[in-house]
Amino acid sequence: MNKAMDLRMGQKNERLKLLSLLLVLFLLSGCGENIKGRLADFKDASLERIKVMLVDVPLIGRWIKLHPKPSSLYKEVEEAILVLKAKGVEKHLPDEFERFEKEWKEAKNLYSERLYLQAEKKLKTLAKEAKDLNEKLDKILSALRSSALQKYQEREAELTSRLSTLNEEDKLKLKVYLFYLKSLIEQGRFEEFERELKKDPFRKG
């Protein structure tokens, strides 16, 4: 009996929510043009939530058509995030990427709730922001690479000027050391490069 009462209460609450949304939409329809413009997104979001609530209702649901699922856009943003992380966005642009991830989480929630119109709008914004972040990140990495190459060339010139005074073992150590420094730059491991740059390539052990 309690279960039946709980079920009726749940159904009543859902109907009240639906009626509230319908009332809001009715009131919005009578607003002036300026207010309509500012509240257009809210109106669309409310209407979409009503559709999602009704789409699984027997008899009614078959007449409800949800906004198309923006699956390709979702995948585009998802792949862009993987690229950004691979480039070290969390290290180089931590605050901006943290804000971006919050928006991404909201978009995923909307998508999972089948609120595809709202999800699509947010995903379009995220796709543009991901592109902007990628461009900004590329500039940072380019600057770091240029700086590292300059330091490498200076270190290389300094060490190779001593070649004539080195024995064969030290010459080999120098060759390996310079090769390792160059590989760190190519891999974008700039912090590690800075540490290795300070080391003595001829140290024992």
Side-chain angles (χ1 to χ4, degrees):
M1 185 173 178
N2 288 335
K3 288 184 178 179
M5 287 180 65
D6 290 342
L7 181 60
R8 284 198 294 273
M9 285 296 294
Q11 291 174 341
K12 184 178 179 181
N13 288 337
E14 288 299 318
R15 286 196 294 271
L16 285 172
K17 288 180 184 178
L18 181 57
L19 286 171
S20 297
L21 285 171
L22 288 170
L23 178 60
V24 169
L25 291 176
F26 175 75
L27 291 173
L28 288 175
S29 66
C31 292
E33 289 301 319
N34 291 335
I35 297 176
K36 281 183 181 179
R38 289 196 299 270
L39 298 176
D41 287 343
F42 176 75
K43 183 178 179 180
D44 290 343
S46 300
L47 183 59
E48 186 171 38
R49 286 190 179 277
I50 292 171
K51 287 183 177 180
V52 170
M53 289 168 63
L54 294 176
V55 74
D56 294 323
V57 176
L59 301 178
I60 299 175
R62 62 178 179 172
W63 303 107
I64 305 296
K65 186 176 181 181
L66 298 181
H67 188 80
K69 186 186 295 188
S71 52
S72 60
L73 191 56
Y74 185 99
K75 187 176 181 181
E76 178 187 335
V77 174
E78 197 170 39
E79 290 175 351
I81 291 171
L82 292 176
V83 171
L84 288 169
K85 286 185 174 181
K87 289 183 175 183
V89 68
E90 292 160 299
K91 182 198 301 182
H92 300 295
L93 295 167
D95 294 337
E96 291 180 55
F97 189 65
E98 184 180 357
R99 288 193 294 272
F100 180 89
E101 281 200 308
K102 286 180 182 177
E103 293 292 319
W104 169 233
K105 186 177 180 180
E106 289 179 15
K108 288 195 293 184
N109 288 338
L110 291 169
Y111 192 90
S112 65
E113 293 170 9
R114 297 187 294 177
L115 299 169
Y116 298 132
L117 176 61
Q118 296 173 69
E120 184 179 69
K121 289 178 180 179
K122 193 167 284 290
L123 287 168
K124 284 179 178 178
T125 301
L126 285 169
K128 183 181 181 302
E129 289 178 359
K131 185 179 178 181
D132 292 341
L133 277 175
N134 191 51
E135 290 175 357
K136 190 177 290 188
L137 188 57
D138 281 344
K139 288 180 181 178
I140 291 171
L141 294 175
S142 178
L144 289 171
R145 187 172 288 104
S146 296
S147 176
L149 280 171
Q150 184 177 350
K151 291 177 181 179
Y152 169 83
Q153 290 165 358
E154 291 170 358
R155 184 68 164 147
E156 182 185 37
E158 174 198 340
L159 293 171
T160 53
S161 66
R162 298 161 54 186
L163 269 178
S164 59
T165 65
L166 301 178
N167 57 41
E168 291 304 313
E169 182 182 354
D170 284 344
K171 286 180 180 178
L172 180 59
K173 284 182 179 179
L174 175 58
K175 185 176 181 180
V176 171
Y177 174 72
L178 291 174
F179 175 80
Y180 183 53
L181 287 179
K182 195 72 174 289
S183 68
L184 290 175
I185 296 173
E186 291 171 354
Q187 294 170 43
R189 294 157 62 185
F190 302 115
E191 290 181 1
E192 195 173 343
F193 166 81
E194 292 291 344
R195 290 195 297 271
E196 291 296 324
L197 192 67
K198 297 172 184 176
K199 293 182 179 179
D200 178 8
F202 309 116
R203 67 187 183 281
K204 301 295 182 182

